[in-house]
Amino acid sequence: MASRRLLSSTASTLSSTPKLVFQAATTGPDPLIRSVVTRSMSSATPHQEIPLQNNKQESIKEDLETKNKEEEEEEEDDDDAQYVDENGNFVNKATGEVGGPRGPEPTRYGDWEQKGRCSDF
Amino acid sequence: MTTCIPAGSGNLHYSVAPCRGQGYRKTSWVSGVAFNRCIQKELLWSCGVSKFLQTQRCNYSKSPFSENWKSLRTVTSSCLREGSTKYFDFAVIGSGVAGLRYALEVAKHGSVAVITKAEPHESNTNYAQGGVSAVLCPSDSVESHVHDTIVAGAYLCDEETVRIVCTEGPDRIRELIAMGASFDHGEDGNLHLAREGGHSHRRIVHAADMTGREIERALLEAVVYDPNICVFEHHFAIDLLTCQDGSDTVCLGVDTMNTETQEVIRFISKVTLLASGGVGHIYPSTTNPPVATGDGMAIAHRAQAVISNMEFVQFHPTALADEGLPVKPSKSRENAFLITEAVRGDGGILYNLSMERFMPLYDDRAELAPRDVVARSIDDQLKKRNEKYVLLDISHKPRKKILSHFPNIAAECLQHGLDITCQPIPVVPAAHYMCGGVRAGLQGETNVRGLYVAGEVACTGLHGANRLASNSLLEALVFARRAVQPSIDHMKSSKHDLGTSNWWSRPVVPFSLGSEAMDKILLMTRKVRRELQSIMWEYVGIVRSTTRLQFAEQKIGELEAKWEEYLFQLGWEPTMVGLEACEMRNLFCCAKLVVSSALARHESRGLHYTIDFPNLEESKRLPTVIFPGSSVKGSWSSRQLHKQPL
């Protein structure tokens, strides 16, 4: 197996972007405090692609739809306070941005994400 | 002796000499072969030429510019032409931000042809949906932006270039706004600036997550209404038209093929701007749209332009891997779906297909290691285990959180039978951006007179060994603008000669081959493209080695020879052109440039990592420069289709 430091940056190698972000003031909780979940190594059950059952798909779809509605009303604990102003523009209270994306700050982990899809880095 | 049109000053900041104080490195294939010379021609400096300039306004019917990009009028040109030759002051190859920005400026001084191989909005620009970086906040500084850029570029950047770009960026943004681009604002009315990774200050200007699209929209709208600009869509650039003037190569235009009418159109232009974008499709998985086949780099290389830093290919570590989806997409995805770093940031874990968590083996920070480390680790796992993808698992997180933060991923995977709240996501690295390209001076000039470059196709020295987020749109804007004045100067000292268009033999559309042969050629070409992409990914990926690179070099050469022989056996002739065949030859050309460059760098820096030289070497902190090769022997991909003028 690869040695421990096979591909890690040497001291003189410049680390790339996410490291800087972790030191930045983000609008959410400090990412350094986040708990890293370690999953116990499974007994090497190989990955299998299990197609979704129809009723399960339905329930996920419903959840996504509900989520979309709830997003506007609910305050997630790590999301910014957001509201809609009198012109119908979405305002992010913490950043002062008008008409911007809803939900967590797109650049909070260094790249530019839109609901999970990365569009720039 | 023979001379071509002396085409004005065309000052270069450098020749084949140390570049901007940084030194340079020659690669081993410096051409020792003298270029062919032009036949002496009596050139007609007729003052009637100026009349031609005046008639080069194009007639077109204005139609309202609609939101869905479809209403761009078909250009019928009453520009001066001889048969299928068109004469313009400026030819622009590519319709992304660099090409259009330049066109709008030079159009104030002469006639402009914008040549684009598909629809005008099909470009990497349109997919750049983060933002543009610029110093626009009073507490920010050019110095800080310069520093961030150079650090990200692993100190391979050209400092003067970086300083210029960071200094001129803010004005370029303001101009965009004046042109109608609409960016997000804060409640205070100022531009809202985001902070992307690698930037030590908030400086990313953006437009509701669709910045590239918004910039492209604003520029296209202005272009459509500019009477001096003719847009030629579905015109594929085949080769630059060049000749020799003493020891200089001069660019006099470009041959194109109208892929809708299957007609070859020759453009004679006093100035040519290459703004043709990236080359993602040398790899099987890429974020680039299908048009990004490295056409500009290839035609420039064939035209004797100097190429630089092609080994620095930026990959994103976690694109959705279609092979791992239970329900495969019915047709292959045109551009990759990138999974955000936020998934890892929120606790996502990477596993190989044996469900072993591998990141701790490579870095103490595990999944939170820098993106480049993650990309290398994934690549290493895939190559060692001979697998197609790895798994990114976020399913241990609360379902509600997953669906709330990552609804795009959830929906996309759901469509293909995967529930990310209880199954891992298959991911594979995707090629995203080419830091290298045609070597450009500080004003976008190249070593070919009359040829300028801007945007992703150029290697300006801004990105160095790794691009800083949101600097690519900025680079395009700044260099497109900087190329304007030298272009105008060059144009003013050039004159069209009607005889010029006959100097080179014309490319031929292969009607004579018949449809059966053409079908076979098409099928084989598509197969060969996939094989080339496979070789590149296997042997010229993120983690490299000398052995693998040499192997790739050999395999690519063999594949190219096999493909060309197949074509020629079916009757294909060297001056024949077709879209897929020409793209294929350009892909071969660029692939070889990447491999050669990678072999030439005996250190690891930025995006280029090789296990044979795994560390930075200060003495190697130099750009990789490829000079034009000998055209005596070479494949079909390495030669311009027309002969040099006789």
Side-chain angles (χ1 to χ4, degrees), chain B residues 3 110 120 147-148 163 206 262 353 396 403 522 557 564 640:
Chain B
T3 51
H147 171 80
D148 292 343
R163 191 163 301 282
H206 56 107
Q262 302 290 302
L353 294 188
H396 49 281
L403 295 181
L522 195 59
E564 289 187 5
Q640 288 170 315

Side-chain angles (χ1 to χ4, degrees), chain A residues 4 8 17-18 34 39 47 49-50 60 63 83 96-98 107 110-112 114-116 118 120-121, chain B residues 184-187 192 195 197 206 209 338 340-341 345 351 361-362 371 389 393 399 408 419 423 467 470:
Chain A
R4 188 162 185 84
S8 67
T17 57
R34 166 184 54 250
R39 219 179 192 176
H47 165 71
E49 298 153 11
I50 307 164
I60 296 230
D63 282 346
Y83 65 93
E97 184 182 2
V98 177
T107 58
D111 63 358
W112 195 290
Q114 300 160 269
K115 300 180 180 163
C118 163
D120 189 27
F121 61 98
Chain B
D184 286 0
H185 282 74
E187 284 175 303
H192 179 264
R195 181 171 167 175
H206 56 107
D209 295 337
L338 300 185
T340 176
E341 292 180 49
Y351 296 97
L361 297 167
Y362 296 95
R371 177 191 323 119
Y389 55 90
D393 196 0
R399 176 194 170 90
N408 273 356
D419 173 8
Q423 292 168 287
R467 178 189 66 94
S470 294

